[in-house]
Amino acid sequence: MHVSTRQKSLSNPNKSFHWFHSFAILDPVSGDHLPDVHTARLKDVPIRDFLPSSHDHSMMKRDMILICTKILVKHLPSLQEFNDCVFWHIPHKYSKELSAKTVEVPLGIIPRNENSTEGMIEIIEELSKNYGLEDEDEFLFMGGDQVTEDRARHCQAARCEEESREDRLEKFWFKNEDWHFERIAYKCVLDKLSSSRCAGDSGTFYSNAVKLGNSNATTDVMGSHYNKIKEFFQVHTSAMVVVAFTEHLGMKSVNDKIEVPERLTSVAERRRWLFGLINKMLEKFVLPEIDELTKIEERLFQKVACQQPGCSSLFTTLVGLKAHEKNFHKIDHTENAEPKLDEGEDPVFNYGCVSLSYGLLLKNLGDAIKEGDGERVVRCWKYFTYVFKSTGQAHKNYALAGLRLIASIKGLLTPAKAHELIWNRFCNTAGGIGKCIPRDLRNEHLNKIAKEHIRSLGHSNISDDNVVKMSRTIGCMEDIVRSFAQKENQKTHKKNPHEKTQLAHCISEITQANMFNHVSGRELNGFPDFKRSIYSGLEPITLKNWLVQYRHQWDIENRNIYKFDD
């Protein structure tokens, strides 16, 4: 927090504060019905288990069908009669528990700086002393963004040789929360789909934003306009779904009549027919991208042969192959050089398919968070882990964060704790179905309240002691403000009043660009060599080495936590 003084001088400078703010939540889902002992060590978990399974693929396909149904019934006049076939809230086995109002307790501010190792250790020690469990085999989950989680685990590693459990900082298991993950996912996707060079490419995200005068949507996702960018991207994705569906059925416009068979009398029959149409659309434009990891998995354990005629050498690593080709065949590999598109490829069509695939992945993630569907959120983590990995160094930390989440569920945690990690990821401040938010977003809300009260103290009165005292009143102050808002019937969330106009414009632009028909020889100014792949740049050999490396490293680092039946 940066606080500026009005009369700045050497004796009265601006102040920059670094504090740690936390709150506690009563977990709504328990793992007590599952065994609290390990079934295997992480090193014994097959590499294939770290990749999305066939079950994950079928469930992701189901999720996308349900998401598309909500979009199409809402925006296509001919399908509005199918309103009773839509799952407006996709159910899961803990829908009841996650729709209840969350029990939470603000823990206040600790005046320590997590940017330093010493500060982070002091933070964990204080939280362990005040809130840590005394049972030798028990711990609490502590969440945050990737930076907080990474620093905390490194502090644990630095203290791993200490004698007592408190000194080893083992009263907490650190995890990544989902709001920061979702934000990075949008950043990663828009880095691949949005560029100022696309201003003249009709139907692209950047072009639609410019033509609608929405300059906020063309800024950096990591800035202050994140929610505005996210909102417009959701509208753009809905338009993509509508156009892809109408193109698949050969419709000239969204107002064309869709012939519905007369034999469809029951809700189940009508739902099955509609889901079948959407499934065929997805199989044509989306599922080839989603299923691409299956092909990568097939090549994961294959040796790569040298491509030079007459050379029969085989290699298990990409580094070895490149070294061989350089030393023996004098081939100079240019780093990060992207191969050109094959003749007959269509960058515009590729952009449409990839944009639709990314958009549905993000819509599914957002919907899963709202519904409190932990299994769906973890499934999205799985897919985006490899999207992050495909970017190379750009998002390597969140690729590791996703991999560690999978490793925690598959081997580092017992089935009971893994179950709790999957489902206890949300906060429902008001109660009601479809009203969950990530816990780190809730902490951001509390941060905002805290900063407003701190600034109200006045520049000269801001000190560690005063801030700690003030932070203990945050829960009460928020309750008072919320009670006034309820009396005045104030709504905390407003719908986008321009959604229909924006959607109609995007549909018109995407249709005009003929984005979902393959036409050889077309060009995309912003991305001339755009490939039809959401994992472009993901090399199977490099991926295998990465998975093996961290599976071994985390197994060694956590060897003391395993507990098995005698």
Side-chain angles (χ1 to χ4, degrees), residues 82-242:
F82 287 83
N83 189 72
D84 57 341
C85 299
V86 179
F87 291 99
W88 295 107
H89 295 283
I90 302 175
H92 55 83
K93 58 185 177 182
Y94 290 115
S95 293
K96 180 180 178 181
E97 288 82 354
L98 272 301
S99 62
K101 184 177 179 180
T102 298
V103 179
E104 63 176 58
V105 179
L107 301 181
I109 291 173
I110 299 175
R112 298 289 184 272
N113 183 2
E114 73 166 8
N115 292 326
S116 68
T117 302
E118 295 81 3
M120 193 72 220
I121 289 176
E122 290 175 357
I123 290 167
I124 300 173
E125 285 179 334
E126 184 163 342
L127 291 173
S128 298
K129 177 182 176 182
N130 295 331
Y131 312 109
L133 301 175
E134 295 302 325
D135 191 326
E136 285 293 328
D137 295 327
E138 288 294 325
F139 55 79
L140 295 174
F141 287 107
M142 180 175 170
D145 61 11
Q146 186 275 327
V147 175
T148 299
E149 184 263 354
D150 187 58
R151 286 172 179 154
R153 284 195 299 105
H154 279 89
C155 289
Q156 285 181 323
R159 289 288 197 89
C160 65
E161 301 297 332
E162 298 293 335
E163 292 185 4
S164 69
R165 186 166 176 255
E166 289 78 6
D167 291 338
R168 292 196 301 271
L169 312 177
E170 291 180 348
K171 289 192 174 183
F172 294 102
W173 181 276
F174 299 96
K175 62 172 182 171
N176 279 279
E177 299 292 353
D178 299 318
W179 181 71
H180 285 88
F181 154 58
E182 185 182 25
R183 191 167 183 168
I184 292 294
Y186 272 94
K187 166 71 174 172
C188 181
V189 167
L190 288 173
D191 283 347
K192 295 188 175 187
L193 296 179
S194 182
S195 170
S196 58
R197 297 170 301 183
C198 287
D201 294 323
S202 295
T204 61
F205 175 81
Y206 193 94
S207 174
N208 287 336
V210 169
K211 291 180 180 178
L212 279 167
N214 190 351
S215 59
N216 292 335
T218 63
T219 56
D220 184 16
V221 178
M222 303 309 292
S224 59
H225 293 307
Y226 165 66
N227 288 324
K228 301 167 187 175
I229 297 170
K230 175 182 174 180
E231 195 171 76
F232 184 71
F233 188 83
Q234 295 296 317
V235 173
H236 183 264
T237 299
S238 296
M240 283 279 186
V241 171
V242 170

Side-chain angles (χ1 to χ4, degrees), residues 47 75 133 277 313 358 360 422 492 523 530 564:
I47 289 296
H75 298 297
L133 301 175
L277 289 182
S313 300
Y358 277 139
L360 287 175
I422 291 171
T492 56
E523 294 183 354
F530 199 94
F564 297 93

Side-chain angles (χ1 to χ4, degrees), residues 9-27:
S9 65
L10 291 175
S11 60
N12 190 33
N14 295 333
K15 294 182 181 180
S16 183
F17 298 99
H18 297 268
W19 297 311
F20 193 86
H21 193 197
S22 56
F23 73 108
I25 282 186
L26 180 63
D27 288 340

